[in-house]
Amino acid sequence: MPTKKILMIFGTRPEAIKMASLYYALKDRSEFNVRVCVTAQHRQMLDQVLNVFNIIPDIDLDLMKPGQDLIDVVTSVMVAVRTVISIERPDLVLVHGDTSTAMATATTCFFMGIPVGHIEAGLRTYDLHSPFPEEFNRQVVGKIASLHFVPTKLGRDNLLNEGVKDSSIFITGNTVIDSLLWLLNRIEASKELKTTLYNRITSALGFDWTSDKFILITGHRRENFGDGFISICEAISDLAKKYPNVRFVYPVHLNPNVQVPVVKILTNHTNIHLIKPLEYESFVCLIKHCYFVLTDSGGIQEEAPTLGKPVLVMRDVTERPEAVLAGTVVLVGASRDRIIANVSELLDNTKLYERMAHSHNPYGDGYACKRIVEVLETIG
Ligand code: UD1
Ligand code: UDP
């Protein structure tokens, strides 16, 4: 049987985490010739993931420029991916989610007549400005893809309502759960790795994170840039004063729009710990040990419920309403007062905390990649 050439193209931290388990699932099968091209829309944060999962890309476009805007990324990805596709001539290109890399790659494939499979398809807010530009990006990829791998039934319903053919949609669960469980098993299996991670995180934080109560914070959404980030930081600063016995751990995204307000407003608080982005293994340990998560991230809304942690999401809408309905995630927006009120309530109200911590994870069982591979095998 001739092998099918599959080219995976991704560029940011979350895409790499969610494509890593799929890469290995495809690589195990002799009927596929899998190649990886990274755009490196992110550089350091992508490399952290590639190292953890031991993935050496076949092609590294190394496109990141500090302070790049959306047009810089989209145009540079399109031009570079055009060359890659011309040389590689893949049978199928797999893209993930809603980044500029995913949209620009899918668009280039469309112009060049190359079929696209979309991993984490069908997520929607139907508000083109929130998240911006991700809602636009994923709708564009959804128009182009011929295979749509949706994490949950809701994604399928969204695509059907948009007129996508039922036969091209596959409910698989989210590959993030596969990657997360794989990593947890690896940590669990190695005493040595546990010790290394404990020492690494302790030296980054300067306190015993396995015993002290802490809230884990991340944030990077474009729609929160400017006033949104200022009010988020002011809320965290107020909360740190109100709860001196709680620690606030914040690995700060490398985007300068995030770095500048966070460092300016949150430096010099004894119980706020600003640290560099952590490699995935350490970050997963922190999710496991935190009291709860305060974030505007997409992926963490899926991971934290899997680890039994409540999540307060600093956004007004989410394309992941499943965990909100399940009761583990609450949307709190980016206003200072609402963040303070919701964090305080979750710290003070044990019953609420227990309810949120014991709801179930709606995003998958760790077999998403197996299902995707089975589809790719059967479509010939
Ligand atoms: C991108 C994605 C967003 C995703 C997020 C994950 C788009 C439009 N947005 O947003 O969907 O949720 O990644 O984090 O694709 N930087 C570094 N080193 C890095 C990474 C970023 O220095 O390793 C800095 C650079 O100055 C870079 C800037 O961050 O120019 C912004 O990166 P960019 O990929 O344009 O946007 P994100 O906000 O990270
Ligand atoms: N993450 C990480 N180190 C960190 C912060 C986050 O490895 O310091 C992981 C996190 O577990 C999740 C992913 O990065 O899998 C989320 O990335 P991000 O929030 O940047 O993007 P989004 O998911 O919002 O697209």
Side-chain angles (χ1 to χ4, degrees):
M1 200 170 61
T3 56
K4 182 177 209 169
K5 189 167 188 182
I6 297 182
L7 180 59
M8 304 178 85
I9 303 186
F10 52 88
T12 65
R13 170 172 70 188
E15 292 169 276
I17 290 169
K18 291 168 167 184
M19 289 293 232
S21 43
L22 183 57
Y23 167 69
Y24 281 107
L26 287 167
K27 206 166 168 279
D28 275 353
R29 302 297 173 113
S30 57
E31 59 269 48
F32 301 125
N33 170 14
V34 192
R35 306 267 293 162
V36 170
C37 167
V38 295
T39 62
Q41 174 183 336
H42 286 174
R43 184 70 276 172
Q44 301 88 336
M45 286 158 56
L46 172 76
D47 290 345
Q48 285 182 317
V49 182
L50 297 176
N51 287 339
V52 164
F53 287 97
N54 202 14
I55 296 175
I56 300 167
D58 300 290
I59 302 147
D60 188 333
L61 299 173
D62 196 21
L63 295 177
M64 195 196 88
K65 299 273 175 294
Q68 64 203 2
D69 69 16
L70 295 171
I71 294 160
D72 294 327
V73 179
V74 170
T75 51
S76 63
V77 169
M78 287 187 75
V79 170
V81 165
R82 173 176 59 187
T83 306
V84 172
I85 302 255
S86 307
I87 296 167
E88 291 284 318
R89 303 191 166 279
D91 297 305
L92 177 72
V93 168
L94 292 179
V95 297
H96 183 280
D98 53 21
T99 64
S100 296
T101 288
M103 190 277 282
T105 297
T107 304
T108 307
C109 289
F110 175 68
F111 291 154
M112 297 178 79
I114 302 293
V116 172
H118 191 196
I119 313 297
E120 199 180 80
L123 278 65
R124 296 288 186 268
T125 61
Y126 292 110
D127 176 350
L128 282 182
H129 294 280
S130 189
F132 174 86
E134 287 80 7
E135 179 65 18
F136 169 80
N137 287 345
R138 58 189 169 225
Q139 288 197 26
V140 172
V141 182
K143 278 268 173 254
I144 292 168
S146 48
L147 298 169
H148 308 260
F149 299 100
V150 299
T152 69
K153 182 180 170 300
L154 185 66
R156 176 171 177 267
D157 294 346
N158 289 337
L159 292 176
L160 289 176
N161 286 336
E162 291 169 24
V164 174
K165 269 198 315 215
D166 200 1
S167 58
S168 67
I169 308 171
F170 307 91
I171 302 178
T172 59
N174 198 309
T175 59
V176 76
I177 308 298
D178 301 34
S179 295
L180 177 63
L181 296 182
W182 181 85
L183 201 68
L184 288 170
N185 285 338
R186 187 165 87 172
I187 297 170
E188 219 29 67
S190 165
K191 219 173 150 188
E192 200 185 323
L193 179 57
K194 272 190 211 156
T195 310
T196 306
L197 291 173
Y198 177 82
N199 290 337
R200 191 183 295 162
I201 302 169
T202 307
S203 92
L205 291 176
F207 71 90
D208 187 357
W209 50 281
T210 57
S211 60
D212 289 9
K213 187 185 251 189
F214 70 93
I215 297 171
L216 182 59
I217 303 170
T218 75
H220 68 83
R221 296 250 82 89
R222 261 186 183 68
E223 57 274 22
N224 284 339
F225 289 174
D227 290 347
F229 263 98
I230 292 172
S231 71
I232 287 170
C233 292
E234 287 174 347
I236 297 166
S237 168
D238 291 350
L239 285 161
K241 287 180 207 138
K242 184 173 173 191
Y243 294 96
N245 297 326
V246 176
R247 295 181 185 273
F248 297 78
V249 173
Y250 189 165
V252 187
H253 196 285
L254 295 178
N255 193 321
N257 293 295
V258 179
Q259 287 274 333
V260 171
V262 170
V263 170
K264 188 168 167 214
I265 302 172
L266 296 180
T267 311
N268 295 328
H269 291 65
T270 49
N271 55 337
I272 298 180
H273 304 265
L274 301 183
I275 53 172
K276 294 198 175 104
L278 287 168
E279 35 67 46
Y280 191 47
E281 279 166 317
S282 298
F283 191 75
V284 165
C285 292
L286 282 188
I287 304 181
K288 245 181 117 175
H289 282 90
C290 74
Y291 193 54
F292 61 83
V293 182
L294 177 65
T295 188
D296 66 14
S297 161
I300 301 170
Q301 290 176 57
E302 296 150 347
E303 292 161 340
T306 309
L307 298 170
K309 300 297 171 174
V311 186
L312 300 181
V313 175
M314 297 181 287
R315 294 172 54 186
D316 294 316
V317 287
T318 180
E319 58 289 306
R320 296 167 169 88
E322 296 90 343
V324 178
L325 292 170
T328 52
V329 168
V330 174
L331 294 178
V332 303
S335 97
R336 181 176 181 166
D337 292 349
R338 274 183 70 198
I339 294 171
I340 294 173
N342 281 278
V343 169
S344 302
E345 198 189 359
L346 198 49
L347 281 169
D348 297 340
N349 183 340
T350 321
K351 272 198 186 143
L352 170 70
Y353 181 86
E354 288 304 324
R355 205 167 53 237
M356 285 182 74
H358 287 105
S359 302
H360 80 289
N361 145 47
Y363 294 112
D365 54 6
Y367 293 99
C369 296
K370 184 169 174 278
R371 294 187 187 100
I372 294 169
V373 169
E374 280 165 7
V375 171
L376 293 176
E377 279 171 345
T378 51
I379 57 162

